[in-house]
Amino acid sequence: MANQALVGWLTGASVATFLISLVALPWLVARIPSDYFAHHKRHAIPLKQRHPVIRLLLLIGKNLLGAILLAGGFAMIFIPGQGLLTMAMGLLLLDYPGKFALERRVARQHGVLSGLNWLRAKAGSPPLVVDDED
C-alpha cells in the first residue's frame, strides 16, 4: 500500500513538472537578452546589486531548486516524465565552474539555436545573437 502511494506521488510530481516546464520554458527563453551568448563573459546581473543577505538567500534557493530538479530528472529517467528536460533545467539553475562556456557551446548548436529562436519568435522576442568564435 505504501508503494502505491509513493508511485502516486511520483506520478503527480512528474505530471506537475511536465506541465510547469511546458509553461516555463518558452517564458524563460523569451526573457534571455538577445546578446546573452554574444560575449565571452557573463554580464553582471541586477541580483549582485542587492543586499548581501538577500542575494545569498536567493542564490541558495536557486541552487537548491536546481539540485531538486536535477535529482528529480534523474529519477524520471526510470519513471514516467520529462527526465532529460528536467535535468537540463536543473543544470541551468545550478552554479558551477565553466557553466557559461557550456551554455554558449550548447546554444551555438544549429538545432538548439533554431529551437530557441523559434520559441523567441512565438513570444515576439528578437532572435539570439551567438558569437561563433572561441
Side-chain angles (χ1 to χ4, degrees), residues 55-67:
R55 179 178 176 222
L56 180 64
L57 290 174
L58 289 172
L59 191 62
I60 289 171
K62 179 180 76 91
N63 280 290
L64 185 61
L65 179 60

Side-chain angles (χ1 to χ4, degrees), residues 41-60:
K41 289 187 174 186
R42 184 184 308 264
H43 289 278
I45 57 172
L47 176 63
K48 291 189 177 190
Q49 311 304 325
R50 295 184 186 220
H51 190 276
V53 174
I54 294 172
R55 179 178 176 222
L56 180 64
L57 290 174
L58 289 172
L59 191 62
I60 289 171

Side-chain angles (χ1 to χ4, degrees), residues 12-89:
S14 177
V15 168
T17 303
F18 175 71
L19 294 174
I20 290 169
S21 68
L22 283 178
V23 173
L25 188 63
W27 180 77
L28 290 171
V29 168
R31 291 185 47 98
I32 298 171
S34 61
D35 66 342
Y36 183 74
F37 297 112
H39 307 285
H40 291 280
K41 289 187 174 186
R42 184 184 308 264
H43 289 278
I45 57 172
L47 176 63
K48 291 189 177 190
Q49 311 304 325
R50 295 184 186 220
H51 190 276
V53 174
I54 294 172
R55 179 178 176 222
L56 180 64
L57 290 174
L58 289 172
L59 191 62
I60 289 171
K62 179 180 76 91
N63 280 290
L64 185 61
L65 179 60
I68 290 168
L69 287 173
L70 186 62
F74 182 74
M76 284 183 224
I77 291 175
F78 305 105
I79 61 174
Q82 298 288 321
L84 294 177
L85 179 60
T86 305
M87 288 174 66
M89 290 172 65

